[in-house]
Structure formats: structure tokens, C-alpha cells
Amino acid sequence: MKISVIGLGYVGLPLSLQFARSGVEVLGLDIDPAKVDQINRGQSYIKHIESAEIQAAVASRRFSAAADFARIREVEAVIICVPTPLNKNREPDISFIISTGEAIAPHLAKGTLVVLESTTYPGTTEEDLRRVLEAGSGWRAGADFHLAFSPEREDPGNPNSKVTEIPKVVGGLTPVCLEKASALYAQAIKTIVPVSSCRAAEAAKLLENIFRSVNIALVNELKIVYSAMGIDIWEVVNAAKTKPFGFMPFYPGPGLGGHCIPIDPFYLTWKAREYGKQTRFIELAGEINTAMPEYVVSRITEALNARQKAVNGSRVLLLGLAYKPDVDDLRESPTFVLMDLLKARGAEVAYYDPHIPVIRPTREHSHWTGIKSVSWNRETVSSFDAVVISTAHRAVNYQELAEWADCIVDSRNAMAGVQTKLGQVWKA
Ligand SMILES: NC(=O)c1ccc[n+]([C@@H]2O[C@H](COP(=O)([O-])OP(=O)(O)OC[C@H]3O[C@@H](n4cnc5c(N)ncnc54)[C@H](O)[C@@H]3O)[C@@H](O)[C@H]2O)c1
């Protein structure tokens, strides 16, 4: 079987490799010529994916990349993994899905299966994508070509998370669409979870992400309440999680980051308005999580104040720019917000991240592009008035940090278990 994966990013690349390993021939399509070129040369551009994996897939002739969308006439199935961000007004931007649909529609062969994987609001596949595919091809979905939605469940940076082991929810436009899509994924993934419609599959993915956003907001709020009572939230979560049923631990932090949790819930908020419905949990969680960087800055202010220093004029080092540990993905990272807030208060700001030597261009924080990570040594680290742990990468030596930095503000409980001096660490 030959398939095409469109959008070779954090989702599309590992998925392509998994299909290739399972014996399926994959034509990767992307509008970014640099990615196409790197894949064909066997080079990885994602830190946690080894170049050797790409080389093996390319050498086996089961994986190649191209930018020519007309080539989808060669394949039996197309999987779309393009970005779904929010626009300036925090409304869904499905333009990447629409432009992909427009690009492939004229080249669809009869009987081709098209599956959308990008996270989005219920109705995108059956309404929006279907419309452009039918208009561009002159065919009918469910009759001349098949249409389905199957959400991605990628856990970047988790070495125990394997694409083939993660159950795959699949919904089809018709029972035949569902059957075709289930058969496709069954070639590469062990467990397929069929649901009754594309909408149910879209809604399941949103539930998963809303669940995380709401629970993270809950512990973030409790962090502030318990802190005022002199109780440590991390101790509380670690105690509560020993309950063998009915509890799942979530941990507080400096705010939400990444391409999913801060964004996807608002896809539902927007769509719900069409039905005259409110999504109060989503809005409240968003409000609490968005306020977290301000809270961390208030703790930095207190920590500096205790040393007779003001934020204005202080040198502050942010430790961890990626939005989660052990990855190089900086999209929506709350560390950027911390840097902005501190700079606005007159601090001199720098960052250290072993996985991000230089800040790549981002949509929202372009003013930091090109700034380089400081180096990790005693002289550099000890020259800062405060070091703020915003992401706890495993590659950082926290014992060295305790020896080098006088004032540490820890929003991740990374200093637990490290020997520190009284008053040296401020939890935030
Ligand atoms: N990153 C994750 O952990 C994760 C997890 C689950 C779901 N998702 C969802 O998967 C989707 C993709 O996310 P990602 O993290 O892989 O994004 P990404 O930005 O890493 O990759 C998207 C890729 O699509 C390409 N692209 C953009 N427009 C295109 C077009 N019109 N045609 C072809 N290629 C195009 C980009 O060049 C890029 O290579 C999003 O909807 C996201 O919400 C992401």
C-alpha cells in the first residue's frame, strides 16, 4: 500500500516513520522545502527523532518526501497533519486544513481515503474539509472518495510513548469510510477505537485536551491557595496520588505551553457559540493558567526583595525555554511570557536551555528571535541575581545550580531532593 502524509512536523514525521516501519510506502508532503530536503537526505529536524530512523526509512525506499501535491494521485490514502493554531482574536484558524484540501482535491483518485488528524472543532471534517474536497474534485465524499477523522496522540519527548502502542480513535463519514480508515491504521497501530462519526472523534480529542487544561488550572489555583496557608502543593499532589483509584496527578507550573493545551480547548469555545452554548470550564481554566506567569513574577519580586533588590535593574536567568521537559519545542512556551513580563519591569533577561542554543522564529514572540542561550558554568550562572526554573529538563544539573546560584525561583519543584541553603529556593 502507498499512502501520503501531509505536514511533516511533530505529528506527521513520527507517524510516517511508523507506517514505513510497518511496511507501508509513505510519500511525505510538506510546503516547507527545507523539511522535504532534509528528509530525503536522511536528516532529522526534531530533537527526539534520530536521523538514523529517517535514514533507515528512506534507505528501505518506504519513505520519501516531496512538495508536489499532484503526486497524491499515486496514493490510496492521504493523512493530513497540518497546524491548527488560533488567530490574533483567539479564534480557530483552519486555513492550513483548507489550503491542503484545495491543493489535493484536483488530484484525488477515485476511492482515495482522506483522513484528517489535526486537532479541531467537531464538524471540521464533515463540513469544512468535505466542502473543499468535493468542490475541487467534483466528487462526493462517502461515494467517490472516503473521508475520516482520527486524532493524533503524540507525547513528544516521552521515550516510553510509541506511536504503534497508542490506541487510535477513528470516526468515518460513512460506515465504509470508517472501515477503510480503521484498516489503514491497523497496519501500523495495535489498537483501533472506532467511533460513530468524525464529530465524535473530533470531540474525543478535545475532551482529552480540555481535561488536561482544566486539571492543570485546578492545581495551579490550589498552588496559590495552599502556598498562602504554608502548604506545599507538590507535597500534597504526591501524597494524593498514592490513592489507588479515582485520582490522577497533575502538576502546577508557570503557565500552559505547546501547540495543543493552550489552544485546542478554544476551538470548542468558538464552535459552541454557534449552538448558543458557553464553555465556562474552558474559559475559567484559560483565565487561571494565563495568569500563572504573573504569579511567578510576583514570587521573583518577593525573592529579590528579600535580598534588598528590585526587579528593575536585576539580572534574571530563565532556566528552560522549551514548553515541556526534554524537548526542543518552544511553541507557546510560558517562558517567553516570563521574559516579556520581567523585561517590561526593567530586568535584564537571559535564558539557558540545553536543547535550544538559539531562539528560532516564533509567531508570537518574534522579538526574541536570534537570542542565544547562555553557557552553563559557575561564572555565568552565579552572575545572575535570580535563576527561575520554568522548565525542568533532565539534562540540567540542579546540584550545580544549587552551588552556583544564590537565589532560585522554582516553578517546577526541580530542586526537590537537591541540597540547598535556607532561603535559597523560592517555590513559585
Ligand atoms: N505536537 C503535538 O504534540 C500534537 C499532539 C497531538 C495533536 N497535534 C495536532 O497535530 C497537528 C499538527 O501539529 P504538529 O505539532 O505536527 O505541527 P508542526 O507545526 O510541527 O507541523 C506541521 C507541518 O505542516 C506543514 N504545513 C503547514 N501547512 C501546510 C500545507 N498547507 N500543506 C502541507 N504542509 C503544511 C508545516 O510546514 C509543518 O511541517 C495540529 O493540529 C496539532 O494540534 C499535535
Side-chain angles (χ1 to χ4, degrees):
M1 186 180 193
K2 183 168 178 181
I3 67 165
S4 177
V5 173
I6 302 184
L8 300 168
Y10 284 88
V11 167
L13 182 55
L15 185 70
S16 300
L17 293 171
Q18 182 54 47
F19 270 110
R21 273 194 297 271
S22 307
V24 175
E25 193 181 337
V26 182
L27 170 66
L29 290 173
D30 204 293
I31 49 168
D32 182 347
K35 282 186 180 144
V36 169
D37 188 48
Q38 277 178 284
I39 286 180
N40 290 332
R41 284 192 285 122
Q43 276 178 8
S44 180
Y45 40 79
I46 294 179
K47 189 190 85 68
H48 58 273
I49 295 176
E50 300 286 341
S51 290
E53 281 185 69
I54 299 177
Q55 280 153 21
V58 170
S60 73
R61 301 190 155 276
R62 283 200 291 269
F63 186 32
S64 62
D68 176 9
F69 284 63
R71 289 191 57 194
I72 66 133
R73 66 167 77 88
E74 299 167 18
V75 305
E76 290 166 62
V78 179
I79 300 178
I80 303 172
C81 309
V82 296
T84 42
L86 293 173
N87 69 17
K88 280 206 295 277
N89 302 324
R90 298 195 65 74
E91 289 166 346
D93 173 7
I94 61 160
S95 61
F96 298 89
I97 296 177
I98 298 302
S99 58
T100 302
E102 287 167 349
I104 64 173
H107 312 292
L108 277 185
K110 204 153 196 174
T112 306
L113 166 68
V114 179
V115 190
L116 179 62
E117 287 217 8
S118 306
T119 308
T120 183
Y121 53 78
T124 310
T125 310
E126 288 179 17
E127 296 163 14
D128 307 276
L129 180 59
R130 177 187 187 167
R131 193 181 319 117
V132 290
L133 291 176
E134 290 186 340
S137 65
W139 283 341
R140 278 192 45 234
D144 303 309
F145 67 93
H146 306 289
L147 188 58
F149 181 83
S150 179
E152 182 51 46
R153 285 169 163 165
E154 177 70 9
D155 190 5
N158 175 357
N160 302 321
S161 171
K162 301 212 162 42
V163 176
T164 185
E165 306 279 348
I166 302 172
K168 198 95 174 84
V169 173
V170 182
L173 185 67
T174 65
V176 177
C177 295
L178 174 60
E179 201 181 293
K180 296 271 179 198
S182 301
L184 165 68
Y185 286 112
Q187 296 187 61
I189 288 159
K190 286 188 183 150
T191 311
I192 307 300
V193 184
V195 295
S196 67
S197 63
C198 299
R199 286 163 185 277
E202 289 161 335
K205 173 68 189 182
L206 288 182
L207 169 60
E208 292 166 19
N209 286 355
I210 293 162
F211 175 79
R212 286 188 62 76
S213 171
V214 167
N215 279 287
I216 292 168
L218 176 65
V219 285
N220 274 335
E221 182 167 79
L222 290 180
K223 168 177 78 174
I224 297 173
V225 174
Y226 284 159
S227 168
M229 296 174 176
I231 301 166
D232 179 335
I233 183 71
W234 284 275
E235 185 186 5
V236 172
V237 175
N238 286 333
K241 78 177 184 194
T242 61
K243 184 180 179 187
F245 51 89
F247 186 83
M248 183 188 234
F250 284 84
Y251 299 93
L256 291 183
H259 183 37
C260 298
I261 315 296
I263 291 172
D264 303 342
F266 294 99
Y267 267 65
L268 187 63
T269 300
W270 179 84
K271 190 69 177 173
R273 279 188 217 126
E274 191 180 312
Y275 295 81
K277 298 292 175 202
Q278 307 276 314
T279 54
R280 285 175 291 168
F281 271 104
I282 294 173
E283 305 275 7
L284 179 60
E287 205 179 293
I288 293 172
N289 289 327
T290 310
M292 273 310 119
E294 292 276 1
Y295 173 73
V296 174
V297 168
S298 75
R299 295 291 287 164
I300 298 167
T301 310
E302 284 176 59
L304 287 170
N305 195 47
R307 288 161 174 77
Q308 282 98 42
K309 285 180 182 156
V311 173
N312 195 346
S314 284
R315 299 186 72 237
V316 182
L317 179 66
L318 278 300
L319 196 53
L321 181 61
Y323 80 91
K324 68 183 273 191
D326 310 326
V327 302
D328 63 351
D329 188 348
L330 40 71
R331 290 176 293 178
E332 307 281 328
S333 173
T335 305
F336 280 119
V337 184
L338 289 172
M339 298 203 303
D340 285 340
L341 291 174
L342 289 164
K343 196 175 168 208
R345 285 160 176 73
E348 193 186 314
V349 184
Y351 83 96
Y352 172 71
D353 192 310
H355 306 306
I356 306 176
V358 56
I359 300 181
R360 302 180 295 274
T362 54
R363 237 186 300 247
E364 317 80 22
H365 307 284
S366 53
H367 48 286
W368 293 105
T369 303
I371 304 288
K372 291 194 171 102
S373 167
V374 302
S375 5
W376 186 253
N377 58 57
R378 182 189 290 272
E379 195 192 344
T380 306
V381 174
S382 64
S383 72
F384 288 90
D385 297 302
V387 179
V388 182
I389 303 172
S390 43
T391 298
H393 291 304
R394 267 181 298 208
V396 172
N397 186 330
Y398 296 97
Q399 191 57 57
E400 281 177 350
L401 177 64
E403 284 157 27
W404 299 344
D406 181 40
C407 173
I408 300 166
V409 179
D410 184 1
S411 72
R412 296 290 189 181
N413 205 28
M415 300 305 286
V418 176
Q419 238 186 340
T420 54
K421 296 187 276 293
L422 196 66
Q424 186 185 13
V425 178
W426 291 64
K427 291 199 179 183

